[in-house]
Structures are given as structure tokens and as C-alpha cells.
């Protein structure tokens, strides 16, 4: 752990004991957190013919560490021990081997730094201990670890792979990730001791042995928010004077110097409105309903319902439409979450939607006199892919340009982006055009904004 991290004062978020611990008093919770912070020694059962020297050669960092093992376990003769005896081995003595991760997938501006040099990212490339992964706007990285654990690094984040190891004695993985900026979400496979999975920020440490959780660090406020999606996490300040247990569906936020940690329920997921399932306009925007106490709404877009292939994300204030940059046409999935004022991201819900542009605009009008006949030519432009048909309507309008009565002309099934009329009587008219396409099994319909035409005598 770096000096800068220690200087800010760490909060500790650790894997909790079994569910029965949830009934403990606050003082017992503090004691339980203390126990979790201290990595438990490994219990090794002596096999027939084992000696401390043999054990040290096979499993410890140095063969000479057998002396420490002898002292810790009060073994009289390091060359002779009773079969079945239990030895307590401190994890710090255990030998490890490298256990690289894999860059399973990525999108957008992604940078990998290794030993001060930038390495071009590529799918399935090995990621090694010490590598730094940075993501730009609308960029994502999905990291796969050898034990089946996955970590997603969204946009505008910086993650350092500080430790990627496995203990030789039991092949248990031991990973430590440092979030210098932004967010990560991890789904951690169950693991045995010694061995763990830690996510560190400048204000917190999160350690689990099989759960799903999020960690976000805000550089501006120096606060960390931890939300538990599955499993149980214990959170305590560095003095261990305050401790809370965070079961599934709860979280807590911590600022530098804060000691009164409070567990709160994660906010319910926003619900996308049905009229947002077809995104046909030039601008992509989603309407939703969300908890009244939500501060921000976060959206993630992926090509799959499992949100493994992330392609875009956006955030908006609660009550405002969630706008996204343009997407290729196709079927997509949107995951919505609500964030509290403290930055704690809530529960998620995923919706499918279709992106298929279908717009009509650029309405224009020209006229010319040929002989005694005046021709009016109405033109428009259309946006979208695939064949389209159009419907032209023109109606009488009042002085404010509002249509009155039934359309004078209603012509569907047009394939051209123009329509002509002759000798319109003087007056005020309102005209508009509908564009229709069939895409992804849906009939897509869009009307242009009406235009007003005034013909004088």
C-alpha cells in the first residue's frame, strides 16, 4: 500500500462472517471486523514423513523460513513431527506464483501501461501484476481472472493491478486492485484461505471471498461508495470504533475523516418507460421513472443482456431524460441504476430497446407558374436505413397555423421525397409528412414537424 493511501486514513471494507453475524451488537461487529482484517493463518496437517525443512522448501518464500515456522508452532525437532499434527502458517511466509489476468474485451479509448511503457491493448491479451488500465470517455474494459472472477472497468477510470498471485501451497488466488479514479464492478468467485480479492481506493479497502460488489472513488470529494449486490461485507473505520455489516442490497459511503458509518438500503432501480423501447429519432433519449430521492440516473448500454459487451454509458440528473450518443442500428440492452446524493449506486434493472433511425425533416417548398397553372412542390428529407414510404398531408389552418378539420390532401404510399399540387386557393395551410419503415420486426413511424404555408390573393 502506498504512503499516500495510508496518509488519507483508510476505511476497511472486508468480507463478513456467516449470516448469523448479522445479529451481533455494534460492539461485536467492531470486534468481528477486527478479526476479518487480520488474515487468518493457514492450518496445515502434517503428512507422514513431513519435516519443517521439507515444508519450507516446497511452500515458503525461503527454505530458512522453517525456523520461523518452528518458533510459531513450538516444534522441538524440525526433522521429526507427528503425522496429523496441525501447523499454523502465517500467509506472509507462503510462497506465491504469478497469476496473470486476461483482457477479455474492451471498447473505445483504452490504455495499458506496463513498467512505464504504453502497451497496445488487444483482446485476450495477458495482463500482468503492476499493469495500469485507463479508460477514456465511453470506453470499457472487462478483465477475466483465472479463477472465474470478472471485473468491469467503466469509462473515465484508472485501475492498477497491484497483486496477481496464487499461493503455491493450496493454489488459492490472491488479487489486489487499486482504483485511482472512477469505478469498478466485480463478481468474485468463492475462494479459500489464504487468498482473497481486494479493491483499494485512497479512502477504503474492500476485501471479499466470493461476492458481487461495486466500488467507486470520487477524486473531487475524496469519498468512496461501496454497494453490495450479492453476499455480505463488513465495513469499519481504521480505528474500528464504528462498524457496520452490509448484506446484499445495502451499501455505505465514506469520506476522509468520517467515522460514523451507516448502512443504507440501495436505491431501487429506475424503470424505463415503454415509449422509449423504440429509439427512432436522431437524438437517443430515454424516459424513466425513478425513486424520488435519487440524485442521478446512470445508464449502461450493451449488446447483450448480461452487460458483458458494454458500448456506452451516460448519467443525468433525476427527472431529466437520459441522453446517449448515437448507436449503430440494432437491438440493444440498457441497464439503469439510481445514485444517491452520496454517490452510492443502487440496484440495477436491464431493458431491451431497438435503435432504428426513422425521421422526416428538412421540409421545403417551391412554386412556379407554367402557363396559367401554378405548381407547388413540397420536398423533405428522410433519415434512417432501409426502404421507406411516405404520407403527405395538407390541411386548412387558422391564423396561428393550427390545422383545422380533415386534411384536404392525404396521400400515403409515396416512395419519392417530393409531392406536387396545383392551384391552391388563397389561405393558410399546414402540411406535414410521415415516414414509415419496417425494421427488426417493427413498424417504425415518424411525423415531421408541421410547416405553415400562406397563399395570398
Amino acid at each position: 500500500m502506498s504512503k499516500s493511501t495510508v496518509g488519507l486514513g483508510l476505511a476497511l471494507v472486508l468480507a463478513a462472517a456467516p449470516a448469523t453475524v448479522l445479529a451481533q451488537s455494534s460492539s461485536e461487529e467492531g470486534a468481528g471486523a477486527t478479526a476479518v482484517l487480520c488474515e487468518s493463518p493457514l492450518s496445515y496437517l502434517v503428512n507422514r514423513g513431513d519435516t519443517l525443512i521439507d515444508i519450507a522448501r516446497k511452500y515458503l518464500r525461503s527454505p530458512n523460513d522453517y525456523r520461523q515456522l518452528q518458533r510459531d508452532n513450538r516444534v522441538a525437532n524440525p526433522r521429526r513431527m507427528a503425522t496429523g499434527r496441525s501447523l499454523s502458517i502465517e500467509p506472509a511466509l507462503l510462497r506465491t506464483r504469478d497469476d496473470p489476468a486476461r483482457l477479455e474485451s474492451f471498447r473505445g479509448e483504452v490504455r495499458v501501461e506496463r513498467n512505464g511503457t504504453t502497451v497496445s491493448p488487444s483482446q485476450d491479451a495477458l495482463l500482468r501484476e503492476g499493469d495500469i488500465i485507463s479508460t477514456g470517455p465511453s470506453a470499457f474494459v472487462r478483465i477475466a481472472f483465472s479463477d472465474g472472477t470478472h471485473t468491469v472497468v467503466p469509462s473515465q477510470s484508472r485501475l492498477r493491478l497491484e497483486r496477481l498471485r496464487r499461493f503455491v501451497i493450496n493454489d488459492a488466488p490472491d488479487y489486489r486492485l487499486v482504483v485511482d479514479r472512477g469505478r469498478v464492478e466485480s463478481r468474485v468467485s468463492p475462494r479459500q484461505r489464504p487468498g482473497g480479492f481486494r479493491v483499494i481506493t485512497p479512502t477504503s479497502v474492500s476485501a471479499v471471498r466470493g461476492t458481487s460488489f461495486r466500488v467507486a472513488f470520487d477524486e473531487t470529494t475524496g469519498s468512496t461508495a461501496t454497494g453490495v449486490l450479492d453476499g455480505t461485507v463488513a465495513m469499519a473505520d481504521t480505528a474500528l470504533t464504528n462498524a457496520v455489516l452490509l448484506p446484499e442490497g445495502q451499501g455505505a459511503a465514506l469520506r476522509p475523516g468520517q467515522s460514523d458509518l451507516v448502512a443504507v438500503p440501495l436505491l431501487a432501480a429506475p424503470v424505463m418507460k415503454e415509449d422509449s423501447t423504440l429509439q427512432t429519432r436522431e437524438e437517443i433519449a430515454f424516459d424513466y421513472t425513478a425513486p424520488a430521492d435519487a440524485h442521478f440516473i446512470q445508464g449502461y448500454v450493451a449488446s447483450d443482456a448480461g452487460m458483458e459487451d458494454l458500448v456506452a454509458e451516460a448519467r443525468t440528473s433525476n427527472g431529466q431524460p437520459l441522453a446517449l450518443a448515437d448507436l449503430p442500428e440494432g437491438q440493444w440492452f440498457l441497464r439503469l441504476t439510481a445514485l444517491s446524493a452520496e454517490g452510492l449506486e443502487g440496484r440495477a434493472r436491464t431493458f431491451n430497446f431497438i435503435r432504428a433511425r426513422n425521421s422526416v425533416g428538412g421540409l421545403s417548398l417551391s412554386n412556379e407558374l407554367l402557363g396559367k397553372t401554378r405548381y407547388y412542390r413540397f420536398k423533405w428529407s428522410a433519415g434512417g436505413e432501409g426502404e421507406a414510404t411516405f404520407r403527405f398531408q395538407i390541411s386548412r389552418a387558422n391564423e396561428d397555423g393550427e390545422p383545422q378539420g380533415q386534411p384536404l390532401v392525404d396521400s400515403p404510399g409515396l416512395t419519392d421525397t417530393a409531392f406536387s399540387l396545383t392551384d391552391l386557393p388563397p389561405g393558410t395551410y399546414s402540411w406535414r409528412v410521415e415516414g414509415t419503415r419496417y425494421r427488426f420486426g417493427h413498424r417504425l413511424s415518424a411525423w415531421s414537424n408541421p410547416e405553415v404555408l400562406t397563399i395570398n390573393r
Side-chain angles (χ1 to χ4, degrees):
M1 190 177 302
S2 68
K3 293 181 179 179
S4 59
T5 301
V6 174
L8 285 171
L10 297 180
L12 299 158
V13 186
L14 281 288
T20 53
V21 178
L22 293 171
Q24 291 180 336
S25 67
S26 59
S27 60
E28 291 173 327
E29 286 178 355
T34 304
V36 172
L37 295 178
C38 303
E39 185 71 68
S40 300
L42 173 73
S43 181
Y44 177 84
L45 293 180
V46 175
N47 297 308
R48 184 175 181 179
D50 272 348
T51 70
L52 286 186
I53 296 174
D54 290 336
I55 293 172
R57 286 173 177 169
K58 291 180 181 178
Y59 305 124
L60 302 191
R61 294 176 308 173
S62 168
N64 292 329
D65 285 339
Y66 84 87
R67 297 187 179 90
Q68 180 67 45
L69 198 58
Q70 182 179 8
R71 289 192 295 270
D72 291 344
N73 292 273
R74 299 180 180 179
V75 176
N77 186 348
R79 298 183 180 276
R80 176 175 295 184
M81 293 180 293
T83 301
R85 175 178 176 170
S86 178
L87 295 178
S88 179
I89 307 177
E90 291 294 333
L93 295 176
L94 292 171
R95 182 152 52 95
T96 61
R97 61 177 175 83
D98 291 341
D99 188 25
R102 182 168 54 87
L103 202 162
E104 188 173 65
S105 61
F106 70 97
R107 186 183 295 270
E109 181 186 339
V110 174
R111 180 179 180 181
V112 178
E113 298 175 61
R114 179 174 299 157
N115 299 324
T117 302
T118 299
V119 180
S120 298
S122 59
Q123 187 170 341
D124 291 327
L126 291 182
L127 296 173
R128 304 191 178 280
E129 191 173 275
D131 284 358
I132 299 172
I133 298 97
S134 301
T135 56
S138 297
F140 303 90
V141 170
R142 180 177 169 88
I143 301 172
F145 299 87
S146 64
D147 67 334
T149 292
H150 288 87
T151 291
V152 174
V153 186
S155 62
Q156 306 288 22
S157 299
R158 187 174 189 269
L159 176 69
R160 178 157 39 95
L161 304 177
E162 188 171 82
R163 181 176 172 87
L164 298 177
R165 295 278 172 172
R166 276 185 181 266
F167 289 102
V168 173
I169 195 169
N170 63 352
D171 204 38
D174 192 40
Y175 306 139
R176 185 162 62 241
L177 317 183
V178 178
V179 180
D180 296 319
R181 179 181 68 249
R183 298 160 288 150
V184 296
E185 181 172 330
S186 301
R187 182 170 292 276
V188 183
S189 300
R191 56 196 58 213
Q192 58 182 316
R193 292 179 182 273
F197 185 94
R198 292 184 176 232
V199 177
I200 300 171
T201 78
T203 58
S204 75
V205 176
S206 303
V208 296
R209 296 186 184 281
T211 186
S212 181
F213 69 112
R214 302 189 193 103
V215 175
F217 175 66
D218 188 324
E219 286 183 295
T220 303
T221 63
S223 63
T224 297
T226 299
V228 182
L229 307 177
D230 181 38
T232 304
V233 169
M235 186 174 185
D237 60 6
T238 50
L240 301 182
T241 55
N242 291 280
V244 292
L245 287 174
L246 305 176
E248 176 183 341
Q250 291 196 4
L254 176 71
R255 291 183 175 86
Q258 176 185 341
S259 60
D260 55 335
L261 298 174
V262 178
V264 297
L266 299 181
L267 292 175
V271 177
M272 184 176 74
K273 292 185 177 180
E274 187 174 354
D275 58 6
S276 292
T277 58
L278 287 176
Q279 293 290 325
T280 61
R281 297 181 179 273
E282 291 296 325
E283 304 81 16
I284 300 177
F286 299 92
D287 291 323
Y288 53 85
T289 57
D293 51 349
H295 197 65
F296 291 109
I297 304 301
Q298 181 77 30
Y300 304 90
V301 175
S303 61
D304 63 299
M307 308 305 292
E308 293 187 2
D309 184 23
L310 291 169
V311 298
E313 68 170 319
R315 180 177 293 190
T316 188
S317 297
N318 190 11
Q320 299 297 316
L322 182 71
L324 290 173
D326 198 12
L327 292 169
E329 295 203 349
Q331 302 189 58
W332 300 93
F333 294 88
L334 172 70
R335 187 177 76 174
L336 292 176
T337 59
L339 282 79
S340 68
E342 295 76 25
L344 190 61
E345 190 172 357
R347 293 182 178 273
R349 187 168 176 179
T350 302
F351 307 86
N352 68 300
F353 71 95
I354 291 175
R355 173 55 170 159
R357 291 189 305 113
N358 183 48
S359 61
V360 178
L363 275 62
S364 63
L365 171 66
S366 62
N367 70 89
E368 61 178 330
L369 184 63
L370 298 177
K372 294 183 178 181
T373 303
R374 184 166 294 279
Y375 288 84
Y376 295 89
R377 188 161 179 80
F378 301 84
K379 298 180 180 180
W380 57 89
S381 60
E385 297 181 15
E387 295 183 359
T389 59
F390 305 99
R391 180 179 184 177
F392 175 86
Q393 285 184 351
I394 187 168
S395 306
R396 287 280 190 180
N398 60 21
E399 293 181 356
D400 296 325
E402 297 173 345
Q404 301 294 301
Q406 295 297 317
L408 300 175
V409 177
D410 188 351
S411 295
L414 305 175
T415 57
D416 195 7
T417 56
F419 188 81
S420 296
L421 290 175
T422 61
D423 290 333
L424 284 172
T428 300
Y429 300 88
S430 175
W431 66 283
R432 63 176 186 164
V433 178
E434 179 192 36
T436 300
R437 303 171 191 271
Y438 288 88
R439 298 281 289 160
F440 307 105
H442 290 264
R443 179 184 182 273
L444 309 179
S445 173
W447 283 97
S448 69
N449 293 323
E451 286 286 325
V452 178
L453 166 65
T454 299
I455 300 177
N456 298 314
R457 292 185 182 274

